[in-house]
């Protein structure tokens, strides 16, 4: 009996991190689908489609307007504004990210993006490990950015968008903590995505709709948009929460180090984006930064933990 129990426990320990990897792969395969969509849809419009698709799935699933018994989940103006700001920061972060990966390799954009959460972690901590993590990620981002200048191709615009995404990820962490404190993370995320997708429809999707009004009737764009939202937001989020509860926040933070590596592999396999030696060195430095720092800002988000774009 004990040997069977031990074997099941060992399988569980192997299986739970595997779920995190599956979530990460889904997230970046969704991003890769977004890259393919860039041929017919603007990156900002793809980001809106992703947010709208995620909102549609989450709202139908959670029905956040309902009060759940024993949760004290009454909606207030402040709670609705916080949820909307969280949703807006998330969709804005994705818009910046998609503009970045329209110009940079997927793995490089993800590496630069990690500057945001690690900077937040270092700013709120006095641990030497967090300072070391920040120095490592700055060095890694510097290497990745420098690689974009090789071969005469200047990627300044792509780097700027990746840095903008990093800044919005930092804002997302702060707002995510407020959403977590409300005690209804899933419901608030569903409502926040729904409100933000409506408010951001004109600035993000409007220009594409005006210029390509004939494409709005193409069902494939809407289905692919829903697929990107499902793969990049909903599936990773649900798996993220399942893993977080079972492995604890410290181990979960270490699993985050897999994200830049996963993005690089997906970019190489799906998009044939083979990193240069300098890019690979920078990505390794970012992975090391996540391991060293343990990304405490992520751990603080509790039920508001959502995977990056």
């Amino acid at each position: 009996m004990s040997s069977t129990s031990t074997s099941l426990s060992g399988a569980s320990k192997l299986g739970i991190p595997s779920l995190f990897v599956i979530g990460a792969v889904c997230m970046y395969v969704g991003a890769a689908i977004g890259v393919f969509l860039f041929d017919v849809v603007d990156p900002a419009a793809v980001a809106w489609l992703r947010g709208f698709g995620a909102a549609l799935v989450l709202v139908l699933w959670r029905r956040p307007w309902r009060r759940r018994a024993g949760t004290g989940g009454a909606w207030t103006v402040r709670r609705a504004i916080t949820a909307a700001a969280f949703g807006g920061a998330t969709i804005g972060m994705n818009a910046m990210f998609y503009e970045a990966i329209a110009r940079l390799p997927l793995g490089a954009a993800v590496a630069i993006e990690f500057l945001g959460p690690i900077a937040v972690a270092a700013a709120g901590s006095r641990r030497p490990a967090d300072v070391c993590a920040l120095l490592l990620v700055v060095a890694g981002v510097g290497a990745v950015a420098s690689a974009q200048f090789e071969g005469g191709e200047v990627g300044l615009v792509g780097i700027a968008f990746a840095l903008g995404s990093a800044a919005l990820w930092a804002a997302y962490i702060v707002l995510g903590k407020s959403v977590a404190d409300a005690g209804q993370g899933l419901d608030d995320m569903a409502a926040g995505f729904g409100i933000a997708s409506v408010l951001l429809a004109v600035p993000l999707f409007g220009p594409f709709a005006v210029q390509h009004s004939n494409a709005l009737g193409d069902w494939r764009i809407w289905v692919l948009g829903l697929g990107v939202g499902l793969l990049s937001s909903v599936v990773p989020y649900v798996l993220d929460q399942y893993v977080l509860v079972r492995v604890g926040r410290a181990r979960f933070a270490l699993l985050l180090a897999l994200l830049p590596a996963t993005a690089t592999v997906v970019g190489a396999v799906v998009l044939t984006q083979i990193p240069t030696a300098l890019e690979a060195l920078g990505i390794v430095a970012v992975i090391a930064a996540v391991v060293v720092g343990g990304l405490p800002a992520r751990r603080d988000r509790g039920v508001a933990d959502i995977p990056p774009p």
Side-chain angles (χ1 to χ4, degrees), residues 11-301:
S12 175
K13 285 179 181 178
L14 289 173
I16 288 174
S18 299
L19 289 176
F20 181 89
V21 174
I22 291 169
V25 170
C26 284
M27 181 164 47
Y28 293 124
V29 167
I33 293 172
V35 172
F36 289 127
L37 270 173
F38 295 164
D39 290 335
V40 291
V41 184
D42 298 336
V46 174
W48 181 84
L49 285 169
R50 169 180 170 173
F52 175 75
L56 187 62
V57 172
L58 287 166
V59 167
L60 290 175
W61 172 32
R62 297 297 301 179
R63 288 178 282 180
W65 57 86
R66 299 187 307 170
R67 285 194 63 179
R68 289 173 172 77
T71 62
W75 282 96
T76 63
V77 172
R78 181 176 179 178
R79 181 181 168 193
I81 290 173
T82 301
F86 177 67
T90 306
I91 295 175
M93 174 178 63
N94 292 335
M96 288 283 187
F97 179 70
Y98 282 149
E99 292 286 0
I101 63 175
R103 298 165 174 84
L104 301 175
L106 180 60
V110 170
I112 294 173
E113 210 188 17
F114 262 86
L115 184 60
I118 290 178
V120 170
S125 170
R126 296 179 181 177
R127 293 193 315 153
D130 290 321
V131 176
C132 180
L134 182 60
L135 293 175
L136 276 170
V137 79
V138 168
V141 167
V144 169
S146 298
Q148 307 313 310
F149 295 89
E150 290 184 345
E153 295 184 7
V154 179
L156 276 175
V157 176
I159 293 167
F161 275 120
L163 290 172
S165 182
L168 282 172
W169 191 0
Y172 156 101
I173 291 171
V174 176
L175 290 166
K177 181 65 168 62
S178 298
V179 169
D181 290 343
Q184 296 291 316
L186 278 168
D187 290 349
D188 286 26
M189 185 178 71
F193 273 33
I195 296 168
S197 64
V198 171
L199 295 177
L200 294 174
V202 172
L204 294 182
F205 194 71
F208 168 77
V210 170
Q211 294 174 17
H212 307 280
S213 55
N214 59 323
L216 297 181
D218 188 342
W219 62 269
R220 291 170 297 183
I221 289 175
W222 297 98
V223 169
L224 285 173
L226 180 63
V228 170
L230 191 63
L231 281 172
S232 290
S233 294
V234 179
V235 171
Y237 176 78
V238 172
L239 291 178
D240 216 22
Q241 291 300 294
Y242 183 86
V243 172
L244 179 61
V245 169
R246 283 156 182 80
V247 303
R249 292 175 179 178
R251 284 189 63 201
F252 184 83
L254 294 179
L255 287 173
L256 283 175
L258 295 172
L259 293 181
T262 304
T264 303
V265 171
V266 170
V269 173
V270 180
L271 302 173
T272 63
Q273 296 174 341
I274 308 302
T276 65
L278 192 55
E279 283 175 338
L281 183 62
I283 290 166
V284 168
V286 171
I287 292 170
V290 179
V291 172
V292 168
L295 211 59
R298 172 73 177 230
R299 297 201 300 268
D300 286 343
R301 279 187 280 165

